[in-house]
Amino acid sequence: MGGYALLCELILEGPDVGGYPEPGSDVRTVATGWLTSLRDGISDPATRAAVLAVTAQADHDPDSAQALVRIGQDRRAALNGLLEPSGVQLGDDEYTLLYGPVLAQLFFDRGRVTDEFIDAVVTQWLTTLERNGALPRGEAVADG
């Protein structure tokens, strides 16, 4: 197993930060719990370093690029599993629209991801999903 495969495993297994959400029918609750778990996991220094290392090499190293694809597929499948009771399943773009602001805040803006920020991200994301017909009518405006 190559070095990037090991980093990939580290990222996928992540630290035990507790609080991983349960499957549920309330999309807002599941998405909020999932983003909170992502924030807490990526705050672990080893996981953060692994994500940055794999990402930095992805343009030049096929193994790193493949690792990123695998991580993305695995995490989206996990989230879709949590969302299964709601009947909502996310495609690539819908998934990216959820996690993207959190990673941008952490890695590019070097800021803290507060619970209020996560709530704002989820609210905007639900509005977008509803507008695109990916949510049952009225789901985006429910405050869980």
Side-chain angles (χ1 to χ4, degrees):
M1 184 180 288
Y4 288 103
L6 289 172
L7 290 175
C8 180
E9 288 304 314
L10 172 67
I11 294 165
L12 288 174
E13 290 177 18
D16 182 9
V17 294
Y20 194 73
E22 295 291 326
S25 59
D26 185 313
V27 177
R28 176 183 293 277
T29 300
V30 171
T32 299
W34 187 84
L35 276 183
T36 300
S37 178
L38 172 67
R39 174 198 62 198
D40 295 347
I42 209 80
S43 296
D44 172 69
T47 302
R48 188 183 198 105
V51 169
L52 290 171
V54 172
T55 304
Q57 292 301 315
D59 285 344
H60 310 288
D61 177 62
D63 289 339
S64 297
Q66 186 177 30
L68 278 181
V69 169
R70 179 173 169 225
I71 291 163
Q73 290 171 339
D74 180 88
R75 297 295 78 210
R76 183 167 63 96
L79 179 55
N80 274 333
L82 296 174
L83 288 169
E84 206 167 299
S86 73
V88 172
Q89 292 291 281
L90 305 178
D92 289 337
D93 289 347
E94 296 156 339
Y95 173 66
T96 301
L97 287 170
L98 179 61
Y99 78 79
V102 170
L103 293 188
Q105 181 81 337
L106 287 170
F107 290 127
F108 300 119
D109 298 342
R110 310 303 289 174
R112 286 185 53 242
V113 175
T114 63
D115 290 344
E116 294 78 16
F117 183 80
I118 287 174
D119 184 58
V121 169
V122 171
T123 297
Q124 183 60 48
W125 178 75
L126 288 170
T127 300
T128 300
L129 290 186
E130 186 177 47
R131 187 176 35 226
N132 293 342
L135 279 183
R137 185 175 291 267
E139 179 75 36
V141 294
D143 282 332

